[in-house]
Amino acid sequence: MFGDDRLMVTAADVATHLGVARSSAYRYLLSLKTSGFLQEGDDGFRLGPRIFDIAHLARRSVDFSGIAWPVMRELARRTACSVLLTRRMGRSIVCLEREDGGRPLRLSYERGQVLPVNAGAAALAVLAWTPLAELDQILREPLSQFTEATSTDPEALRSRLAGIRELGYVIGRGELDRDIVGIGAPLTGAGDTVVGALSIAALSHRVDERQAAALARDVVRSAAALSAQLAEAGVQP
């Protein structure tokens, strides 16, 4: 509803636009205000600071996604798995792109989906290389639990992240979606800084430990190849 000719909206405007009761429209606006997407003034609601975060991420992701597509397609073709490209935004992980292999899956990670940082390989492969000061801040807040395998204890999660950094990749089973195994590796850009993660997802019962290890090697090789391209393009966190 916002545009050059409309910089502020009211609950009455939203109610008319959506065809809902004014009380419902006001609840929608308050929810967006709580999330930082809107600010409330005397005359209505205007766009809030979170919009700038989203716009900044969108600008950064355009070249990132364009560079990543060929690598993602090839990895999906070789592994017949769904391939995800993710970045961190504050306390959340954003799925920038998704390329399905031979067996499309029902995943919580869809293109544009925003999820917490502590569940699944696509998230943990980013979180493991988060600067310690930022990690401390993230882990001060309560962590969401999706399945019995989700790690919500900050100290246990710190220990796991240290192991991921040492290994160079992460394999997770059923942490976000119960029947899914995820395998992820970090992506580095300019200055050898981690800018995101490349990961694959498959049905867990189709991937045993030996197959998971082989797939992990493939993911790491693909992430290294993509990282070289990102560094050359000057992509930064």
Side-chain angles (χ1 to χ4, degrees), residues 181-195:
V181 58
I183 304 170
L187 294 169
T188 57
D192 203 31
T193 53
V194 171
V195 296

Side-chain angles (χ1 to χ4, degrees), residues 105 121 171-174 177-183 200-207 212 215:
L105 299 174
I171 298 176
R173 290 185 183 271
D177 298 302
R178 281 187 172 83
D179 300 325
I180 299 297
V181 58
I183 304 170
I200 62 173
L203 288 172
S204 189
H205 72 268
R206 290 178 173 164
V207 180
L215 287 170

Side-chain angles (χ1 to χ4, degrees), residues 127 134-141 143 154 157-158 161:
L127 188 63
E134 294 179 41
L135 181 62
D136 288 342
Q137 187 173 3
I138 289 170
L139 296 184
R140 287 193 193 104
E141 301 293 330
L143 298 172
L157 187 55
R158 286 179 194 276
L161 295 176

Side-chain angles (χ1 to χ4, degrees), residues 11-219:
D13 295 332
V14 174
T16 300
H17 184 78
L18 297 182
V20 299
R22 187 178 299 191
S23 59
S24 296
Y26 190 67
R27 285 198 301 272
Y28 301 155
L29 289 166
L30 287 181
S31 178
L32 290 167
K33 175 186 172 183
T34 300
S35 301
F37 289 106
L38 295 179
Q39 289 181 322
E40 188 174 9
D42 293 336
D43 300 323
F45 292 81
R46 64 177 66 87
L47 293 175
R50 187 76 186 278
I51 293 294
F52 294 106
D53 294 335
I54 297 294
H56 181 56
L57 182 68
R59 287 195 297 271
R60 289 193 301 162
S61 71
V62 171
D63 290 341
F64 194 177
S65 299
I67 295 169
W69 266 119
V71 175
M72 294 178 66
R73 289 194 191 102
E74 179 59 22
L75 183 59
R77 185 194 65 79
R78 287 199 310 270
T79 63
C81 296
S82 294
V83 179
L84 306 171
L85 179 70
T86 49
R87 296 189 84 164
R88 183 173 65 87
M89 186 180 71
R91 296 193 74 252
S92 298
I93 296 296
V94 179
C95 179
L96 297 180
E97 300 293 348
R98 170 176 167 174
E99 178 74 12
D100 285 323
R103 302 187 181 105
L105 299 174
R106 294 187 64 180
L107 297 171
S108 294
Y109 280 102
E110 299 290 346
R111 187 179 295 112
Q113 190 81 25
V114 179
L115 291 171
V117 296
N118 62 309
L124 296 181
V126 179
L127 188 63
W129 280 270
T130 296
L132 290 180
E134 294 179 41
L135 181 62
D136 288 342
Q137 187 173 3
I138 289 170
L139 296 184
R140 287 193 193 104
E141 301 293 330
L143 298 172
S144 301
Q145 181 149 18
F146 299 92
T147 73
E148 60 278 0
T150 306
S151 181
T152 59
D153 178 75
E155 293 312 310
L157 187 55
R158 286 179 194 276
S159 177
R160 185 171 183 207
L161 295 176
I164 293 170
R165 289 193 299 272
E166 184 175 345
L167 196 60
Y169 62 87
V170 54
I171 298 176
R173 290 185 183 271
E175 298 171 1
L176 182 59
D177 298 302
R178 281 187 172 83
D179 300 325
I180 299 297
V181 58
I183 304 170
L187 294 169
T188 57
D192 203 31
T193 53
V194 171
V195 296
L198 184 70
S199 62
I200 62 173
L203 288 172
S204 189
H205 72 268
R206 290 178 173 164
V207 180
D208 61 24
E209 295 306 314
R210 179 184 59 81
Q211 292 168 319
L215 287 170
R217 290 191 290 271
D218 201 350
V219 171

